[in-house]
Amino acid sequence: MPEALLTAIGAPRDIAAIDIGSNSVRMVLYRLEGRAIWTVFNEKVLAGLGRDLPVTGKLSVEGAAQALTALKRFAAVVDGVRPAHAFVAATAAVREAEDGQIFCDRVAAETGLQIRVLTGEEEARYAALGVLAGIPMADGVAGDLGGSSLELVRITKGEVGRGVTLPLGPFALADDKAFDADRLRGLIAKRLKPAEDYAADTLYAVGGAWRTLAQVHMQVSGYPLRIVHQYEMAAADVLDTARLIARQSKASLEKWPGLSKKRAETLPHAALVLEALIERLALKRIILSAWGVREGLLYETLDPETATADPLLAGCSALGARQGISPTLPGALNGWIAPLVAALPPVFGEARDRVLADAACRLADLGARLHPDHRVELAFDQVLRAPVPGQNHAERAFLAVAVNARYGGSVSTPESNTIGRLLTEDQRQGARALGLAIRLACDLSGRSPQLLVNARAAVKDGALVLTASDGYADVLLGEQTRRRGKALAEAMGLKLDIRSGG
């Protein structure tokens, strides 16, 4: 990693998080570069620890055996990787089972892993912190559906409020009777009564079952960008999808592409819980969060300054810096194009447009080490699908269009159907103008901040005005600058006015 990046964000460090849930046992290895958090390894086993809990009060014998085998492997991986920190947390099943402590003791004896059993309140809080780590502007209710429980937590303007744990996980609803949607709706309604005070417009949905439901929604609706994090669904559409799933038999669900047998068993219960939440809380939209308890535990370890940093900007900085650009170039670009950004019609709101412009500047040399014949397509795809949180899908598309323009891509862009689905025409035009402004600044200066300060761009009287400091006109305002300036002026609906004097 370039030394400049290390200076900007501190030395990178690895964190391991092992989450022992009621349904799955998962290990994730993260690489932290300041506020930029990357998942570098992710493995899970659907052990079903809590499958027998409602009937026996104990952990599933088969599930415990599968979980222990997985944890032995995870312990070996942790020992090999030697991360700076390792978290091992267990949630509802281990917390509530009569033999939960026996399981923890056995794991410690056979693997050396010391399990922290989260209380219901802690589980709810960490789930909400994980949502905020990935979606800092979240405002509504976070809902984390595990195998045995549902945690609901109020999130207001970036602050975690009170929470409640309810026995609404698929295993908590299962019994020896055949699946009966109407009967389960009645049971869910009773168990949801403590949630009446959690009415909100937006639910931030956490948990594997709801991620699967979102993927079903994407498939049914023909959605082009298969990224679950910050995928948004209207409540009415979710109701249709949930009811579709609830009507399917287990055998039918097992035939759906990409749906495992174990997930097919629990998905109808998860769909019914989401249906009930929409109706009980008067939800208008569901936004998926791929981040939850594990990321909440990680987020808590960050120092206050790092924790409050924008994850979108941090992620874009880390991606851009890997291409070896000057650490001062993104800031120089952002300052230079600021008058042009201010002159563009707002597309996400003035404040958010400034953040997106800053992010685009941090990606300005993302394609520097890519093959020039494929640079446009590769850079576009990286930006559209990079695992960088803190941006919704429209903002991903906006930044991808900007990077496409920055590298001279055509108006149509790669994946034009995807862009057409995600952006309005005004947003698309704004993104292209932003990218062309960055292209102008980079090509005018040869990506040199020292040269860039000797030229200025402004919008005056219906014209894009380019000027240079005394003695720099011949150096900076040549034919290439004229071509780049003309393209930007046309995209902004302006005339081009190049003036040689400062």
Side-chain angles (χ1 to χ4, degrees), residues 129-142:
L129 279 177
V131 170
L132 287 175
I135 312 175
M137 296 179 289
D139 191 278
V141 173

Side-chain angles (χ1 to χ4, degrees), residues 41-125:
F41 184 80
N42 188 333
E43 183 175 327
K44 73 173 179 180
V45 174
L46 290 174
L49 267 178
R51 184 181 307 277
D52 300 335
L53 192 60
V55 177
T56 67
K58 297 181 179 181
L59 299 174
S60 163
V61 175
E62 180 184 354
Q66 290 182 339
L68 183 59
T69 299
L71 291 169
K72 287 179 180 178
R73 167 173 162 73
F74 295 167
V77 172
V78 170
D79 188 57
V81 173
R82 298 188 180 279
H85 297 286
F87 304 102
V88 186
T91 53
V94 176
R95 177 174 68 239
E96 296 170 6
E98 294 175 12
D99 55 349
Q101 187 57 52
I102 294 173
F103 174 77
C104 292
D105 293 341
R106 184 180 177 189
V107 169
E110 297 191 26
T111 71
L113 298 174
Q114 300 296 321
I115 299 173
R116 175 184 174 186
V117 181
L118 302 179
T119 66
E121 182 179 349
E122 288 175 330
E123 185 178 355
R125 177 174 173 272

Side-chain angles (χ1 to χ4, degrees), residues 3 6 34 62 119 121 159 206 224 267 272 287 294 297 330 339 366 402 422 441 456 492:
E3 183 178 353
L6 297 182
E62 180 184 354
T119 66
E121 182 179 349
E159 296 292 331
V206 178
L267 188 58
L272 290 177
I287 297 177
R294 290 181 300 276
L297 286 162
L366 185 66
L422 296 177
R456 285 167 296 283
M492 297 179 70

Side-chain angles (χ1 to χ4, degrees), residues 15 22 126 282 297 453 459:
I15 302 288
S22 301
Y126 284 121
L297 286 162
V453 296
V459 175

